[in-house]
Amino acid sequence: MIPAIRKSFNAAFTEEKYQTFLKNLNAPHPGAIEFRVAETPVFIDKAFTKKMMDACESIVDIITDPNFKNYTNRAIPKTDTVPNETNLAEMIAFDFGICINDKNELEPQLIEMQGFPTLLGFQVHFNEAVFQSYDLPSNFTPYLSGYDKESYLKDFKEIVIGKHQPEEVILLEIKPHEQKTRVDFYCTQDYLGIQPVCITEVITEGKDLYYINEKTGLKTPIKRIYNRVIFDDLHAQAPNLGSYLDLTKEWNVEWVPHPNWFYRISKFTLPFIDHPYVPKTSFLNEIKEVPKDLENYVLKPLFSFAGQGVVIDVTPADIEKITDPENWILQKKVNYAAIVETPDEPAKAEIRVIYLWNEKWARPKAAINLARLSKGKMIGVRYNKDKEWVGGSICLFES
């Protein structure tokens, strides 16, 4: 996106530097990174950043609207409703594709959004490893809203820990040490001092929750849960888990973020947004006439994650066989730009802008990001097998 910097980075790139980068990235937790890491960061200029942030802030206007909860109540499945919902989502992520419009101009287009944490710990370490391994311009940063590493970690810690001690807070996940994103759990533990705990390991006594602290070996009260459990994943794995904590019961515990926000800020929210950088999206049951140019649309289930169930090449037959159209959206396709020059073919990129929201703030703040590079039809791993200069990365914004 910034030709001179891209040309300079590519000219200086060597496989040895990439291996040094991977070594630095893996050093704190060897073997914990299972996903492919791209050879390069993505350099973003000020103009594109402004477009993307304008879109984010317009969506934040909707999320902070007093009526937001009213029109997203249907988003939460009754079977997955968790009591004691909070007033806000402490973490929000907006996924944008770097796209090209009809005028041959680059622009961001929102792909998805989620009121749920992502790699908030790992990306701090990722950025340090990138700058440690490559010769990069100093006026680029992965942080937004004036954040740097210290101020970001200060707010991240305050939001997750709250008024409690770190040992009273856990990171809750399903088999955390088997998750592909476990490196983020370990980095979060490094930075915040909270332990990853499996949903099967939580001890219940009445309405109180406990876990076994790995440092002390003692049964320790849980006052606050940094939630990384996704219900879709839980439902899929439940038959093999044995007994586990029922999230839908009322417990004497605080949630950050509360599980209901995963549904409120999600694909469900897209049809309510009217912005040039948000593709036109409709609930399938509200479409009066199916578009004749279905090849220009994507069909997505509301209640799924990691791209599961998405239909890219939509046909009338795909729509006809859906029995619960109220739980599906039809979204206008966007034209990803193969904009990141690489040694063989250019790569497409997605940017995830990550917001933090302290309950003391009127609005959430854009904080840090992650990027994903792809040369396939979609961003996911299965579309990029045997390709290089693809995978997880970070955006460096011109400052």
Side-chain angles (χ1 to χ4, degrees):
M1 295 185 65
I2 307 177
I5 292 177
R6 172 52 58 200
K7 185 177 180 180
S8 174
F9 180 91
N10 288 15
F13 177 84
T14 65
E15 182 61 26
E16 289 74 21
K17 287 182 181 179
Y18 177 52
Q19 292 306 319
T20 297
F21 170 47
L22 293 179
K23 182 180 177 182
N24 292 334
L25 200 59
N26 280 279
H29 302 286
I33 301 175
E34 278 194 24
F35 49 88
R36 192 182 194 285
V37 174
E39 285 81 344
T40 180
V42 181
F43 301 100
I44 304 292
D45 63 26
K46 290 179 182 178
F48 191 90
T49 302
K50 184 180 185 305
K51 290 179 182 179
M52 191 166 61
M53 297 316 302
D54 285 349
C56 287
E57 289 300 312
S58 74
I59 301 167
V60 168
D61 288 341
I62 294 171
I63 294 169
T64 54
D65 187 298
N67 292 316
F68 181 74
K69 276 194 173 185
N70 291 336
Y71 58 75
T72 56
N73 281 333
R74 189 178 74 78
I76 309 166
K78 290 181 181 178
T79 54
D80 297 348
T81 302
V82 177
N84 300 322
E85 185 178 323
T86 54
N87 292 323
L88 53 84
E90 289 86 351
M91 291 90 182
I92 305 171
F94 299 109
D95 287 353
F96 289 91
I98 298 178
C99 298
I100 193 158
N101 64 21
D102 295 340
K103 298 177 182 176
N104 211 35
E105 300 166 335
L106 292 180
E107 64 181 23
Q109 285 289 333
L110 186 75
I111 307 302
E112 287 197 19
M113 56 200 289
Q114 54 184 170
F116 191 76
T118 184
L119 308 183
L120 281 88
F122 179 59
Q123 290 306 106
V124 176
H125 170 58
F126 196 108
N127 178 61
E128 291 197 312
V130 163
F131 274 91
Q132 183 182 356
S133 311
Y134 296 121
D135 183 19
L136 299 172
S138 59
N139 63 323
F140 280 76
T141 174
Y143 297 101
L144 294 155
S145 304
Y147 275 116
D148 58 17
K149 178 186 175 183
E150 289 70 29
S151 58
Y152 168 78
L153 286 177
K154 180 178 178 292
D155 278 353
F156 181 31
K157 186 168 188 175
E158 183 176 334
I159 288 167
V160 172
I161 305 297
K163 62 181 182 291
H164 306 289
Q165 297 300 311
E167 60 268 21
E168 296 174 323
V169 183
I170 64 165
L171 185 157
L172 188 67
E173 177 57 292
I174 305 158
K175 299 182 180 178
H177 303 292
E178 297 178 20
Q179 293 282 347
K180 285 190 176 180
T181 53
R182 64 185 179 274
V183 67
D184 177 63
F185 309 157
Y186 303 154
C187 289
T188 300
Q189 187 171 19
D190 293 341
Y191 294 130
L192 307 190
I194 65 172
Q195 181 177 319
V197 175
C198 182
I199 196 169
T200 63
E201 297 170 342
V202 176
I203 302 161
T204 62
E205 294 183 8
K207 288 188 175 183
D208 296 326
L209 304 179
Y210 301 85
Y211 75 107
I212 301 301
N213 186 296
E214 63 187 12
K215 288 184 179 177
T216 65
L218 299 176
K219 185 175 79 171
T220 305
I222 301 170
K223 302 290 182 67
R224 193 166 169 90
I225 292 175
Y226 177 40
N227 182 51
R228 297 296 297 263
V229 176
I230 293 174
F231 271 109
D232 259 22
D233 192 18
L234 180 58
H235 296 326
Q237 296 199 48
N240 303 314
L241 290 178
S243 62
Y244 58 86
L245 179 68
D246 184 349
L247 304 186
T248 64
K249 286 188 176 180
E250 188 167 348
W251 305 106
N252 294 329
V253 73
E254 297 169 0
W255 295 96
V256 52
H258 192 282
N260 291 357
W261 284 100
F262 174 79
Y263 291 111
R264 289 192 185 279
I265 301 175
S266 66
K267 292 187 284 284
F268 186 91
T269 321
L270 294 174
F272 299 104
I273 304 168
D274 182 16
H275 191 278
Y277 301 141
V278 179
K280 182 174 174 53
T281 307
S282 304
F283 293 112
L284 193 57
N285 66 318
E286 294 182 359
I287 294 175
K288 293 175 181 169
E289 186 176 348
V290 175
K292 292 183 172 59
D293 59 337
L294 274 178
E295 68 276 8
N296 293 322
Y297 289 82
V298 180
L299 188 62
K300 296 181 178 180
L302 287 176
F303 307 118
S304 73
F305 72 109
Q308 294 181 8
V310 173
V311 182
I312 307 170
D313 300 310
V314 189
T315 66
D318 293 319
I319 292 176
E320 287 169 13
K321 69 183 180 185
I322 290 174
T323 57
D324 56 340
E326 70 280 4
N327 294 326
W328 290 75
I329 55 170
L330 195 64
Q331 185 180 47
K332 197 80 185 282
K333 269 184 186 175
V334 297
N335 185 16
Y336 279 77
I339 194 65
V340 180
E341 293 294 337
T342 81
D344 49 16
E345 60 179 305
K348 305 165 189 171
E350 255 186 26
I351 307 169
R352 176 169 292 176
V353 179
I354 302 164
Y355 272 67
L356 294 178
W357 197 353
N358 190 312
E359 62 183 359
K360 300 172 186 175
W361 307 340
R363 294 170 67 89
K365 295 180 188 176
I368 198 169
N369 81 91
L370 63 82
R372 292 180 292 181
L373 298 180
S374 172
K375 294 177 180 177
K377 202 167 189 177
M378 284 182 71
I379 294 292
V381 174
R382 63 183 178 273
Y383 298 97
N384 287 281
K385 288 180 180 176
D386 305 318
K387 295 183 184 294
E388 295 182 334
W389 290 60
V390 298
S393 189
I394 199 164
C395 284
L396 299 179
F397 300 109
E398 183 181 17
S399 63

